Amino acid sequence: MSLTDLDKSDLTIEEPPPVDEPDDITGWVRSWQPVDPTAVIEGTWRQVEPTIGARTDHVGILYPGKQHVAQGETEGGKSWFAARITVTEILAGNHVVYIDFEDDINTAISRLRILQVPDPIIVERFHYIRPLEPIGTGINLDDLLRLIAATDPTAVIIDGVTEAMTMHGLDPLSNSDVAKFGRALPKRIADQGPAVLSLDHVTKNAETRGKYALGGVHKLNALDGAAFSIENRTPFGVGITGKSTIKLAKDRPGQLRRRSLPSKNGMHWFGDLVLTSHGEDYADLDIVAPTERSDDFRPTAVMAKVWKTIELHDHGDGLSGRKIQDLTRGNAQINRSAVTYLEVDGYITKAPHKIIQPYPPEQDPTS
């Protein structure tokens, strides 16, 4: 049968019904209709639980359908925090979308391979986007929403909020522009169901920044999920153990705070990000639950004294705990505790003790 033998009606393609489009990147369709209160009245409404990602004690980290931010200084561990959540999800059979405004696909995939994620799983379940222009309301938005609909990701990572806002012609220091960007991208994605985690910078001055990321305070105030502050304690590097403290700067649903411990500046200690490097191509990465002892406690003065003892007296074979005590003197229990913390934090090896890296950590001269 040829095409000429077909009824032309068989070739008719029906146009899809028109869809209301917002006027600009900040618009939303029909959001002023009343919300049905039946579930709350009847007692069937349930508070959302954090089920995306996991600490080592199986407590979830992100809330599905909510917006989150992880904020910290450069090389503080934000990207590794996102990588740990990504690995947890894709190894569980879920999909993750990674929208990167800062780096490239090689860096993102290298982290997953270092964490021993098999290549076929990366190809199947990890979806990387490197935008070069604003999202808008046309084909770019359509591409993103189609990907989310097709893969049903449990998490979407937005890496580089300041860079993303600049690309969209918005000012990170303006609360109004922060709100516009939130509606344009993170909220749009969260409304489709996945947890959204944005990675953002903080100001250099740790004393004055408090809970806030770089720019408008609306970055924190507008979140309907949680805000994580990530503070590096031990630098990350090849062949060493790096560690960052994860604190809660905000937890609107309130389910993470009750699984954390109180800390300073009104925040809560959610856990520690621990990256143990076994070489160039292999590392273990965990998010460890907090212990009952305050995360801020360290016998730092004694740790510095013990570290100096090892530096001065180790001639290649390392020092035993007894020799460290004999040379350092002072309270033996505190000295032993200092040795333990230096080990755990990656400054010295296990006995016989040798230096791994400087203590206290060398400071960035530009900070």
Side-chain angles (χ1 to χ4, degrees):
M1 180 182 291
S2 67
L3 287 176
T4 56
D5 297 325
L6 292 174
D7 189 321
K8 289 184 179 180
S9 63
D10 294 334
L11 299 177
T12 301
I13 299 176
E14 293 185 4
E15 293 292 331
V19 177
D20 290 337
E21 289 282 358
D23 293 333
D24 56 37
I25 64 170
T26 68
W28 290 100
V29 179
R30 303 181 70 84
S31 65
W32 285 79
Q33 293 183 334
V35 177
D36 185 357
T38 303
V40 176
I41 299 298
E42 294 181 348
T44 57
W45 182 86
R46 294 290 180 267
Q47 177 63 269
V48 63
E49 291 283 342
T51 58
I52 312 303
R55 288 189 319 205
T56 52
D57 60 351
H58 308 296
V59 169
I61 299 171
L62 305 181
Y63 298 97
K66 300 290 185 182
Q67 302 168 69
H68 312 75
V69 67
Q71 56 198 30
E73 295 183 11
T74 300
E75 298 187 357
K78 300 186 300 294
S79 295
W80 285 114
F81 178 69
R84 179 65 258 175
I85 292 171
T86 298
V87 169
T88 300
E89 291 304 303
I90 63 178
L91 290 183
N94 301 314
H95 291 251
V96 171
V97 173
Y98 199 100
I99 307 174
D100 193 351
F101 291 92
E102 282 196 340
D103 213 325
D104 57 43
I105 189 170
N106 179 66
T107 301
I109 290 181
S110 293
R111 288 194 188 98
L112 302 183
R113 299 182 84 180
I114 287 171
L115 298 177
Q116 306 302 291
V117 179
D119 288 346
I121 290 181
I122 297 175
V123 172
E124 178 187 355
R125 302 172 194 165
F126 182 70
H127 311 281
Y128 181 90
I129 300 174
R130 182 60 172 97
L132 298 177
E133 57 188 1
I135 184 73
T137 59
I139 191 170
N140 295 334
L141 177 62
D142 184 63
D143 285 343
L144 177 60
L145 295 182
R146 285 176 183 271
L147 174 63
I148 292 173
T151 61
D152 190 24
T154 52
V156 175
I157 313 297
I158 301 174
D159 194 346
V161 170
T162 299
E163 291 78 5
M165 290 187 63
T166 301
M167 179 184 290
H168 286 79
L170 301 171
D171 180 4
L173 301 179
S174 164
N175 283 325
S176 175
D177 281 1
V178 167
K180 289 178 183 178
F181 178 75
R183 293 193 298 269
L185 192 58
K187 188 177 189 307
R188 253 189 186 138
I189 297 170
D191 284 347
Q192 308 305 309
V196 177
L197 175 65
S198 300
L199 308 184
D200 204 359
H201 302 292
V202 294
T203 58
K204 281 286 188 180
N205 194 326
E207 298 300 321
T208 60
R209 66 178 175 239
K211 298 180 179 181
Y212 297 99
L214 179 65
V217 298
H218 199 87
K219 284 184 178 179
L220 189 62
N221 295 343
L223 293 178
D224 58 356
F228 302 91
S229 177
I230 302 180
E231 304 171 4
N232 186 246
R233 297 206 322 253
T234 308
F236 302 108
V238 176
I240 62 176
T241 297
K243 183 178 293 187
S244 290
T245 301
I246 305 169
K247 295 183 180 179
L248 279 171
K250 179 176 181 176
D251 178 24
R252 177 159 285 182
Q255 304 305 304
L256 295 172
R257 191 175 291 114
R258 67 188 182 89
R259 292 154 170 145
S260 307
L261 294 176
S263 186
K264 62 183 180 181
N265 295 330
M267 293 192 280
H268 280 68
W269 180 26
F270 180 72
D272 289 336
L273 180 74
V274 182
L275 178 66
T276 304
S277 170
H278 303 288
E280 293 278 354
D281 302 319
Y282 171 42
D284 290 315
L285 179 61
D286 292 303
I287 296 176
V288 182
T291 59
E292 287 300 323
R293 181 182 291 277
S294 169
D295 59 315
D296 299 313
F297 171 81
R298 284 290 189 280
T300 53
V302 180
M303 289 169 69
K305 191 176 179 181
V306 167
W307 187 94
K308 194 66 177 177
T309 296
I310 300 172
E311 182 188 42
L312 291 174
H313 298 282
D314 173 28
H315 301 296
D317 297 326
L319 299 184
S320 66
R322 175 177 283 267
K323 191 163 187 178
I324 289 174
Q325 173 59 29
D326 291 342
L327 293 169
T328 305
R329 301 186 179 279
N331 186 294
Q333 183 175 350
I334 295 178
N335 287 343
R336 285 195 298 270
S337 184
V339 169
T340 299
Y341 282 120
L342 287 169
E343 281 183 22
V344 169
D345 291 346
Y347 294 104
I348 63 174
T349 65
K350 293 182 178 180
H353 303 291
K354 299 180 181 182
I355 298 298
I356 295 177
Q357 57 184 319
Y359 184 88
E362 294 177 341
Q363 298 297 311
D364 184 346
T366 64
S367 63

